[in-house]
Amino acid sequence: MTPLNEVFDQLSLGVMAIDLDYRITHINQQGTRLLEVEEKDVLGQSVYDLFPDAPEEVRHVERTLRTSEELTFDAIPYKWGKYDLYLSIRTRVLQENGKVYGAMVEYSDVTEYYDKEQRMLKWMEDMSVNVIPLSKGLVLLPLQPIMDQIEFQYILDRGLHNVTHMGAHQVIIDCSTISTVDIIFFDKLSKLIQSLSLMGIHTTISGMKPELARTWVSSDLPTIKVKFFSNLQVALKELYKQ
């Protein structure tokens, strides 16, 4: 084993290189472990012969060799045949004196991290549509700062579902924890309010900070008929009078 091969085998990520004929010229120990192959069985073999059923969307090193485009993916599904992984991928063009002689790919198993991230995102999404019953027919939808980091369509669908499931006729949307948003946020918030109105549910907004109010007013969005209160306490005091 050459010193270079020994260095590659110390890496915690997989490394594989191919030549201009798509033949595997090098693969380290971690690379064989992740692909569940033996080095002696793959060296000199064409990746197209070795993995004939691999879909085109996972053939990134081949694409780099064809196009000279180096690619990076934090997490891509590697799910075909016997594989059920999420891999982090980075490809490189191999060249010497300006002449391309192959391509290589670095890859690592990020399945555990990806699954954990998805569970955390799901938790964040659920938290962002946590509808709290306050009294008969009155519920609170406290918007969370994470809302600008996830798909608002999820908020729209789940929020509507949760509110109607509780049989509410009055909703307080509290914005007190939101500091910065863009016009897209207000556009979709308006659509949520309009959807609630069409269902006969009245909306009140509390806790909107001055900077948010200025952003909304300066937008070209149509005016919506909704009551605003400086904070949740004032909103509740007013609503319980009714």
Side-chain angles (χ1 to χ4, degrees), residues 79-136:
K79 297 176 179 290
W80 61 276
K82 62 183 177 180
Y83 303 111
D84 187 15
L85 303 169
Y86 281 89
L87 296 180
S88 171
I89 298 287
R90 183 177 183 182
T91 66
R92 300 174 185 269
V93 175
L94 299 177
Q95 52 186 323
E96 186 175 1
N97 298 324
K99 186 176 181 180
V100 174
Y101 65 88
M104 68 174 287
V105 58
E106 303 168 356
Y107 51 102
S108 59
D109 183 0
V110 295
T111 307
E112 182 179 350
Y113 300 104
Y114 179 84
D115 289 343
K116 184 181 296 184
E117 182 182 70
Q118 293 305 300
R119 289 194 299 270
M120 179 61 70
L121 180 59
K122 180 64 167 60
W123 176 81
M124 291 167 65
E125 290 174 336
D126 289 341
M127 284 294 293
S128 65
V129 286
N130 183 27
V131 179
I132 303 168
L134 298 177
S135 61
K136 185 177 181 180

Side-chain angles (χ1 to χ4, degrees), residues 17-58:
I18 60 175
D19 63 17
L20 296 178
D21 294 318
Y22 302 97
R23 294 189 300 255
I24 297 175
T25 59
H26 179 82
I27 186 169
N28 69 349
Q29 290 183 4
Q30 180 70 348
T32 60
R33 187 188 71 79
L34 290 174
L35 296 182
E36 301 178 35
V37 295
E38 295 290 337
E39 181 181 20
K40 61 181 178 61
D41 296 329
V42 301
L43 287 181
Q45 296 291 319
S46 165
V47 288
Y48 286 100
D49 292 335
L50 192 62
F51 306 111
D53 300 322
E56 190 60 32
E57 58 263 27
V58 304

Side-chain angles (χ1 to χ4, degrees), residues 131-133 135-140 160-172 196 199-202:
V131 179
I132 303 168
S135 61
K136 185 177 181 180
L138 176 62
V139 299
L140 171 66
L160 285 172
H161 175 271
N162 291 350
V163 169
T164 54
H165 181 71
M166 291 181 176
H169 56 75
Q170 179 80 45
V171 180
I172 302 175
L196 291 169
M199 298 164 61
I201 300 172
H202 300 288

Side-chain angles (χ1 to χ4, degrees), residues 2 74 112 122 128 158 167 212:
T2 66
D74 293 331
E112 182 179 350
K122 180 64 167 60
S128 65
R158 285 293 300 275
L212 301 188

